[in-house]
């Protein structure tokens, strides 16, 4: 059973066209939900950690939100340099490993 | 701050051979986790080391083993390589919760 499901798998946006990426999860006792950005052939780059429902975090054009079942990564007025794969991961309350989704591949067209 | 470093960057091996990958954690971090990432997939947890002991292990065979040294650096060893072991191997270090990733080692098995 998948613990983390990300949608859509791929997303193409025009520059300036805002949108949201979804991460739904099924773990018992969420310890943390993490968003990463990954460029091709490179390691994931940390973006945000969210711990409890209702929490929000922002960084430049990105805003992450968390509910009891899912998280959203909102991208406002994206630029071509925002093109990357965005990964979501969850950590259960009693465990140490991260469970990753398969990611959303974002392409921003100039 | 140097961040997480990994070596080598790329590696080509043949089936049946053995390989050792290395990781130095971010300054101040004492926990190291290893992940395997196949093309188009999210990272899959292999194991985590803390205080020189394997603290948790994912669903990987015993061909995958590791070690953590007193300076917190770590090695991942893979024996009897299979074609399916070709992937990007990621090391992540952490203190309390958030994991920070290195650039990865691209392993190709021929």
């Amino acid at each position: 059973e998948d613990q983390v499901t990300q949608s859509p798998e791929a997303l193409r946006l025009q520059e300036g066209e805002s949108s949201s990426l979804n991460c739904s999860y099924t773990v018992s006792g969420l310890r943390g939900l993490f968003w990463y950005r990954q460029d091709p052939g490179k390691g994931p780059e940390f973006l945000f950690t969210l711990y409890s429902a209702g929490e929000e975090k922002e960084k430049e054009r990105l805003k992450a939100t968390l509910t009891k079942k899912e998280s959203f990564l909102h991208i406002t007025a994206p630029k071509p340099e925002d093109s990357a794969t965005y990964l979501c991961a969850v950590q259960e309350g009693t465990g140490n490993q991260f469970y990753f989704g398969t990611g959303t591949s974002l392409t921003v067209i100039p | 701050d140097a961040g997480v470093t990994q070596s080598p960057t790329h590696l080509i091996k043949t089936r049946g051979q053995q390989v050792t990958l290395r990781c130095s954690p971010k300054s101040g971090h004492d926990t190291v986790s290893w992940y395997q990432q196949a093309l188009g997939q999210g990272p899959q947890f292999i194991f985590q080391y803390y205080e020189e002991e394997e603290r948790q292990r994912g669903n990987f065979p015993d061909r995958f083993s590791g070690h953590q040294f007193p300076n917190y650096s770590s090695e991942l060893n893979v024996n009897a390589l299979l074609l399916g072991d070709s992937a990007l191997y990621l090391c992540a270090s952490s203190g309390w919760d958030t994991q920070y990733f290195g650039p990865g080692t691209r392993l190709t098995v021929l």
Side-chain angles (χ1 to χ4, degrees), chain B residues 57-78:
Chain B
R57 188 178 183 91
N59 189 26
F60 278 80
D62 292 344
R63 298 187 298 108
F64 290 77
S65 63
H67 187 78
Q68 186 179 34
F69 299 93
N71 67 353
Y72 308 122
S73 66
S74 177
E75 288 182 348
L76 164 65
N77 301 292
V78 187

Side-chain angles (χ1 to χ4, degrees), chain B residues 4-5 22-34 48-53 67-75 91-94:
Chain B
V4 181
T5 60
R22 295 176 175 81
C23 170
S24 290
K26 189 177 169 69
S27 177
H29 286 179
D30 56 8
T31 302
V32 173
S33 303
W34 286 93
Q48 184 180 86
Y49 277 84
Y50 173 70
E51 292 189 342
E52 302 180 51
E53 296 286 333
H67 187 78
Q68 186 179 34
F69 299 93
N71 67 353
Y72 308 122
S73 66
S74 177
E75 288 182 348
C91 168
S93 75
S94 54

Side-chain angles (χ1 to χ4, degrees), chain A residues 37 59-63 74-79 81-82:
Chain A
R37 169 195 169 123
K59 178 181 178 180
E60 296 181 354
R61 295 177 294 281
L62 300 176
K63 179 180 177 180
H74 307 278
I75 303 177
T76 302
K79 297 181 178 181
E81 53 262 41
D82 295 323

Side-chain angles (χ1 to χ4, degrees), chain A residues 31 34 36 38 41-44 46 49 51 87 91 95-102, chain B residues 35 37 40-43 45 48 55-57 88 90 96-103:
Chain A
R31 180 171 166 182
F34 306 83
Y36 292 86
Q38 186 173 29
K42 299 190 175 181
F46 170 71
T49 304
Y51 294 104
L87 294 166
Q91 185 179 25
N96 299 297
Q97 72 179 84
F98 280 23
Y99 297 93
F100 278 87
T102 54
Chain B
Y35 292 81
Q37 186 176 26
Q41 301 297 314
F45 177 77
Q48 184 180 86
R55 180 156 72 174
Q56 189 167 355
R57 188 178 183 91
L88 182 67
L90 296 164
W96 170 239
D97 55 5
T98 300
Q99 295 188 3
Y100 294 86
F101 285 82

